[in-house]
Amino acid sequence: MAMEATGVYWIPVFQILEAKGFEVKLVNAHHVKTVPGRKTDVLDCQWLQKLHTYGLLSGSFRPENEICVLRSYIRQRDSLIKSGSTHVQRMQKALIQMNLHLHKVISDVTGLTGMKIIKAIVRGEQDPQVLATLKDPRIKSSTADIAKALTGDYRREHLFVLQQELSLYEVYQQQISAVDAEIEKCLASFEPKTLDEPPTTERKRRKKPTANHPSFDLHKYLYGMAGVDFTLIDGLDALTVQTILSEVGLNPKRFHTVKHFTSWLGLCPGQKVTGGKVKSSQTRTVVNRAANAFRMAAFSLTHSRSALGAFYRRLRSRLGVPKAITATAHKLARLFYRIWTTAGQYSDPGMDYYEQKYQELILKNLRHKAQALGLELVPISHLTECVS
C-alpha cells in the first residue's frame, strides 16, 4: 500500500493499516509532484497507484513502533521547553521594565538563586539588601552588586505580569516533569542490550547537569538500550543522543551505508550536475531533528580542547561558521554511524595530535607541488647552518 504524506492526517490511517499487517509506504509528495493533468485527489490516487504498480515509489523512513512512542514523548518535551522559555523571556522583560537587571549579575534567572529572588519579589519583598542575601554561595557576583542590580521601580502592573509569567513557567516545569516520568517508563520498557554500567573515561565530564536535563540517569538507560556509549564522542551529551536515537531508531541496518545515513540527514554535500559539470555542491534543505541535534553538537565544540574542536575551528576560519557547523556535523554523524554499526568506542586523539597530523598533511602537499616544479623544500634550520 502507498500513501502520500499530508501534514499529520496520514498518521492515524498509517498506524491502523500497519497494525492490521499491511506493508504501507509513506511517499514524499515532492517525489510525485509531476502529476499529469489537473491537480485533484482522484488523479493523485491514480498516479500513486500507477507508480506503485511499477515499483517506482520508495517509502519514507519511519523507525520501529516502540521508537515512535519514545519519539512522541521527546518531541512533546521539546515543545514544552520551547513554550516555557517564552515565559522566561517575559519574566525578564517585566524585570527590566522595573529597572531590575538581575540577568547581569547572575548567569541564569531560572537557576536556584534567580528563582529564589523572583519568588521573593512576587511575595512582596522589595528591599534590595534582603533580596541580595538570597544568593547562593557559588554566585561570583557580590551581595552589593546584586543589591545594586535589584534597585528599581516596583510598579504594581509589572509585578502582576511577573507573578503570572512565573506561575505559567512553573506549570510548564510540572508538565516537563510528568513527560520525564513517561520517558523513563518508556526507556525502561526497552530490552537492554547490555546490563553493564557505562564505561568510565579519563576525560573530564560535566559535573553539573545541563539545562533541562531529566532527573533520572538518562545516560545509563541510553547505554543499556543501544549497547554503546555515544557520549564518548565530543559534543554529544545524553540529551543529544536521546534525540538522535528517537529519530533514527536502534537498527543501523535501516541505513545500508554511512553515505545513506548522512544523505538522509541532509548533511552530505549535494551534487547538481548538468552536462557533466558540477553546478552546485550545496547540501539539501532537509527538516530533520537528528540533523539539527548533530549541528548543535558541532557548535558546542567551539571551545573544545579536542581533535573535533580543532577541526571545527580550522574550518570556521576558512569557510565561515555555517559551513563549518555543517561539515563538523557531517563528521560527527559519520563517527556516530561507525560506533553504531561496529559497537566500538571512540577515543579522542587530542587537539595537539590533530594539529600535528594537519601540519604533516600540508607539508606533504607542498613537497608534491615543489617536486612537480623541479624544486625541493628545505627547512629553515638547514639554511641557517649553511650560512653559518
Side-chain angles (χ1 to χ4, degrees), residues 32-250:
V32 293
K33 65 177 182 179
T34 55
V35 180
R38 221 162 153 191
K39 175 71 175 177
T40 64
D41 290 340
V42 175
L43 290 178
D44 270 358
C45 291
Q46 294 174 355
W47 183 241
L48 283 175
Q49 182 187 21
K50 190 173 183 178
L51 292 179
H52 187 47
T53 303
Y54 295 153
L56 297 177
L57 295 181
S58 58
S60 301
F61 172 77
R62 180 177 168 87
E64 303 83 3
N65 185 58
E66 54 184 0
I67 292 293
C68 290
V69 175
L70 176 64
R71 184 177 65 179
S72 299
Y73 287 132
I74 292 175
R75 288 183 177 181
Q76 172 65 7
R77 187 181 193 273
D78 184 58
S79 299
L80 291 174
I81 291 174
K82 291 179 180 178
S83 300
S85 65
T86 302
H87 298 288
V88 175
Q89 293 173 344
R90 291 175 181 173
M91 283 193 291
Q92 289 179 331
K93 179 181 178 181
L95 290 172
I96 293 175
Q97 287 176 328
M98 292 185 288
N99 198 33
L100 306 178
H101 298 277
L102 183 62
H103 62 283
K104 291 187 177 180
V105 290
I106 62 175
S107 59
D108 184 12
V109 296
T110 60
L112 185 63
T113 299
M115 294 307 295
K116 281 185 178 180
I117 293 176
I118 291 175
K119 289 178 180 178
I121 293 174
V122 169
R123 288 195 300 267
E125 183 60 58
Q126 299 182 5
D127 188 349
Q129 300 297 333
V130 176
L131 294 173
T133 57
L134 299 175
K135 82 178 189 74
D136 190 88
R138 293 169 292 182
I139 296 294
K140 295 182 180 179
S141 300
S142 64
T143 305
D145 292 337
I146 296 178
K148 185 177 180 181
L150 293 175
T151 302
D153 182 17
Y154 292 85
R155 293 175 64 93
R156 181 178 178 180
E157 65 271 23
H158 299 321
L159 289 172
F160 177 76
V161 172
L162 181 63
Q163 185 272 330
Q164 282 202 326
E165 297 302 330
L166 175 62
S167 300
L168 291 171
Y169 173 75
E170 291 177 337
V171 168
Y172 277 106
Q173 293 304 306
Q174 294 173 1
Q175 297 302 318
I176 291 172
S177 299
V179 174
D180 285 342
E182 294 298 323
I183 291 176
E184 185 176 10
K185 293 179 183 178
C186 188
L187 291 173
S189 65
F190 284 90
E191 183 178 355
K193 293 184 178 180
T194 178
L195 298 177
D196 299 335
E197 292 291 329
T200 56
T201 59
E202 295 180 358
R203 73 186 186 119
K204 184 178 180 180
R205 292 187 177 273
R206 291 180 181 267
K207 295 181 179 179
K208 181 182 177 181
T210 56
N212 301 313
H213 200 280
S215 57
F216 58 89
D217 191 355
L218 178 60
H219 181 214
K220 183 178 179 180
Y221 280 111
L222 294 176
Y223 178 72
M225 64 186 289
V228 292
D229 188 5
F230 293 108
T231 61
L232 294 175
I233 303 175
D234 295 279
L236 298 183
D237 59 359
L239 281 176
T240 305
V241 173
Q242 177 184 244
T243 301
I244 296 171
L245 289 179
S246 68
E247 296 294 330
V248 303
L250 298 175

Side-chain angles (χ1 to χ4, degrees), residues 357-376:
K357 286 294 183 181
Y358 179 64
Q359 185 177 6
E360 292 176 357
L361 180 62
I362 293 177
L363 290 175
K364 182 179 179 181
N365 293 334
L366 289 175
R367 289 192 185 98
H368 283 305
K369 290 182 180 179
Q371 187 177 5
L373 297 173
L375 302 175
E376 183 181 356

